Amino acid sequence: MTTVLIVDDQTLQRLGFRMLLEAEPDMTVVDEAANGSEAVRKTAELRPDVVLMDVRMPGMDGIEATRRIVGSGGRSRVLVLTTFDLDEYAYEALCAGASGFFLKDARPEELVVGIRAVAAGDAVISPGVTRKLIDTFTSRRSAPAPEHERRLADLTEREREVLTAMAGGSNNTEIAEILHLAESTVKSHVSRILAKIGARDRVQAVIFAYDVGLVRPS
């Protein structure tokens, strides 16, 4: 059973998400929060698998709440919700450690699949919306930190190729086809890449690839 905490400052929005998720036989909503402070507190208390996080809220917003939840080192993962596909708030939430994001007008079945993926330890990153978001906002960032450059130097040539393909939006099956590798080999490469660069998931790995200039905004 996947447990979810819904965070949104709009009561009707929370109700809609609750009705959608509790109609799924493998999901349960453990609670709701109306702002970031409540989200941080209730995440610590309830330890949900997934925190469905709005970013624009009064008081503590979803960015700071995400940063605190991820920084606590707990098991809960954050899936960000936003109204606009090119939303700097959503981008900052990804940098803060969110495992991906969805638009609030996404189809219900897409959101359900995304929550399951995040709960399973994957990251929701599509070649379309999420890459466009990262493209837009990483182009404004300054030079990469020396620590990032050192981590990049730790990667083998093959690992760099896999990371580049990940940043292009390719999944493991597609990377296996592109690089003529077994999918199990790709999974092993991805695990080693995440460990070497200190990334929690694929979203963080993609942001890292842009930060160090391995991939350029299109």
Side-chain angles (χ1 to χ4, degrees), residues 113-126:
V113 169
I115 291 172
R116 289 193 182 108
V118 169
D122 205 348
V124 180
I125 178 165
S126 67

Side-chain angles (χ1 to χ4, degrees), residues 76-90:
S76 301
R77 301 171 70 85
V78 179
L79 180 58
V80 169
L81 296 169
T82 183
T83 305
F84 309 104
D85 58 350
L86 290 178
D87 186 343
E88 188 162 7
Y89 284 86

Side-chain angles (χ1 to χ4, degrees), residues 78-175:
V78 179
L79 180 58
V80 169
L81 296 169
T82 183
T83 305
F84 309 104
D85 58 350
L86 290 178
D87 186 343
E88 188 162 7
Y89 284 86
Y91 172 72
E92 293 300 331
L94 293 179
C95 291
S99 294
F101 88 103
F102 267 97
L103 297 180
K104 285 190 174 181
D105 63 356
R107 294 196 303 271
E109 60 270 23
E110 291 177 335
L111 181 59
V112 169
V113 169
I115 291 172
R116 289 193 182 108
V118 169
D122 205 348
V124 180
I125 178 165
S126 67
V129 175
T130 307
R131 188 181 176 196
K132 182 168 62 173
L133 181 87
I134 294 172
D135 271 355
T136 299
F137 294 109
T138 52
S139 63
R140 305 178 186 176
R141 303 192 73 172
S142 56
E147 177 61 27
H148 282 194
E149 294 181 334
R150 285 193 292 271
R151 291 175 181 176
L152 178 64
D154 288 339
L155 300 182
T156 66
E157 186 61 34
R158 177 61 84 188
E159 288 166 350
R160 290 190 183 207
E161 291 175 343
V162 172
L163 179 55
T164 300
M166 288 167 59
S170 299
N171 59 34
N172 288 352
T173 301
E174 292 165 340
I175 295 173

Side-chain angles (χ1 to χ4, degrees), residues 91 131-132 134-136 138-139 144 167-168 205-218:
Y91 172 72
R131 188 181 176 196
K132 182 168 62 173
I134 294 172
D135 271 355
T136 299
T138 52
S139 63
V206 170
I207 292 175
F208 173 88
Y210 277 85
D211 277 347
V212 297
L214 191 62
V215 179
R216 301 291 182 183
S218 54

Side-chain angles (χ1 to χ4, degrees), residues 41-94:
R41 177 174 57 81
K42 290 185 176 182
T43 298
E45 292 174 357
L46 303 170
R47 300 201 308 161
D49 298 312
V50 178
V51 180
L52 199 58
M53 179 79 75
D54 187 20
V55 288
R56 300 185 181 216
M57 296 178 290
M60 184 189 294
D61 62 21
I63 299 169
E64 180 59 26
T66 297
R67 185 176 292 114
R68 295 190 186 191
I69 289 169
V70 174
S72 71
R75 60 188 293 273
S76 301
R77 301 171 70 85
V78 179
L79 180 58
V80 169
L81 296 169
T82 183
T83 305
F84 309 104
D85 58 350
L86 290 178
D87 186 343
E88 188 162 7
Y89 284 86
Y91 172 72
E92 293 300 331
L94 293 179

